[in-house]
Amino acid sequence: MPGFSRFVFALIGIMGICITDHPAFSASIDDLYQTQTVVTGQGEPNRQLGFRTCLDAVLLKVSGDQRLLKKPEMAALRDKAGGFIASFRYRDRLEGIPIHDEQGTHDRPHDLTCIYDPAAINPVLASLGSEPWLTKRPRLVVFLAAEQGARHFALSTDDERSALMRESFTNAATPLAMRIAFPKASTLPSAKLDDRTLGDADIMVLDKVAQQSGADQALAGTLVWSDKELGWIANWRLARDGKTYRWQVRGVSFDDAFRVAMRGAAQILSGNGQP
């Protein structure tokens, strides 16, 4: 054990100053009760579809509990989704680009932002057996080993091979008001961590590394391409209150794998248990 302790101490010392923060979402109450989706034009049918999507998004964002979206009561709530909105606005995603050919404004993609009053959303959560998750949301350091055939790498902030994955991971974190960071590739070998050892690294050790860097804890995972399943197999780990939670998704895009990662993390950290 003394040798292991020295390794942990050295790992923290090496990694502690080398975690690079990723552009992050810092949530206020107003942020939590605001969501956005993309719709085609500003017509009523697409607006109602957008309202339904935004209702799902705000309930997930405020509660952190993805299980709510599968409850049978959601069908009736989605039918009256517009009634929970305090205000909404549009932004033309092609703003500044003239309408061309026979295209009209009803064909152009718009960001639809929906703003909610907590007094309207909190009772909905209560009716679903849930409540708002209003405590400060932890900043997670993502330790991920990826494998695709002969190609192996660890997700890191200064490795161009993982640039698209880093962007995708951030896109998965933002709708949940979660903040993430990534390690630097140059520090992993000297810390005796690489794409082949991260998958088995002790989550408590990785948590200490994350905390030493100024973050709160680690989210650890492996991502392996499967020709058989025509997609990625992702395994995730996160610790809370002395318990290590594990969850998996198979045969998906890496965008979906990262959404599963962040939704699972939110479910655990909000106190809603196993993903």
Side-chain angles (χ1 to χ4, degrees), residues 57 71 75 77 102 127 168 239 263:
K71 291 200 169 189
L77 292 170
E102 296 182 1
S127 74
S168 176
R263 288 188 177 197

Side-chain angles (χ1 to χ4, degrees), residues 4-215:
F4 178 76
S5 298
R6 285 196 298 271
F7 166 69
V8 171
F9 182 80
L11 176 62
I12 292 172
I14 293 169
M15 293 290 291
I17 60 172
C18 295
I19 299 292
T20 301
D21 198 9
H22 208 266
F25 181 91
S26 181
S28 66
I29 293 297
D30 288 343
D31 292 328
L32 287 178
Y33 289 87
Q34 177 175 302
T35 59
Q36 187 180 91
T37 190
V38 178
V39 295
T40 303
Q42 300 183 33
E44 185 65 19
N46 287 330
R47 180 182 302 152
Q48 293 304 319
L49 290 173
F51 285 169
R52 292 165 69 94
T53 300
C54 283
L55 177 63
D56 280 13
V58 75
L59 294 177
L60 174 58
K61 187 178 185 181
V62 174
S63 71
D65 189 357
Q66 62 184 324
R67 299 172 302 175
L68 301 184
L69 307 186
K70 297 180 181 179
K71 291 200 169 189
E73 298 95 320
M74 284 301 302
L77 292 170
R78 291 181 183 114
D79 286 342
K80 52 183 180 182
F84 302 112
I85 296 172
S87 63
F88 66 90
R89 62 176 181 266
Y90 288 103
R91 184 185 72 85
D92 188 343
R93 292 172 68 90
L94 301 179
E95 187 176 7
I97 300 176
I99 296 173
H100 55 83
D101 298 325
E102 296 182 1
Q103 180 196 52
T105 56
H106 60 282
D107 296 317
R108 292 165 71 92
H110 287 70
D111 291 326
L112 170 63
T113 299
C114 294
I115 301 167
Y116 300 86
D117 190 325
I121 291 301
N122 293 353
V124 175
L125 290 176
S127 74
L128 295 169
S130 186
E131 60 184 6
W133 176 27
L134 299 179
T135 56
K136 184 179 178 181
R137 304 198 173 183
R139 182 164 69 98
L140 304 177
V141 177
V142 177
F143 293 96
L144 176 64
E147 175 183 339
Q148 187 175 22
R151 184 170 175 250
H152 298 255
F153 62 92
L155 202 65
S156 60
T157 191
D158 51 352
D159 187 335
E160 286 305 312
R161 293 174 298 178
S162 59
L164 289 177
M165 288 187 176
R166 292 197 307 270
E167 179 181 0
S168 176
F169 229 127
T170 301
N171 290 340
T174 299
L176 294 161
M178 299 284 286
R179 301 175 298 156
I180 58 174
F182 303 100
K184 285 188 175 181
S186 58
T187 66
L188 291 175
S190 56
K192 298 183 180 179
L193 286 173
D194 58 28
D195 55 276
R196 297 183 186 275
T197 59
L198 275 176
D200 296 321
D202 189 317
I203 190 68
M204 300 304 177
V205 172
L206 296 179
D207 275 350
K208 289 179 181 179
V209 173
Q211 291 158 10
Q212 185 70 14
S213 75

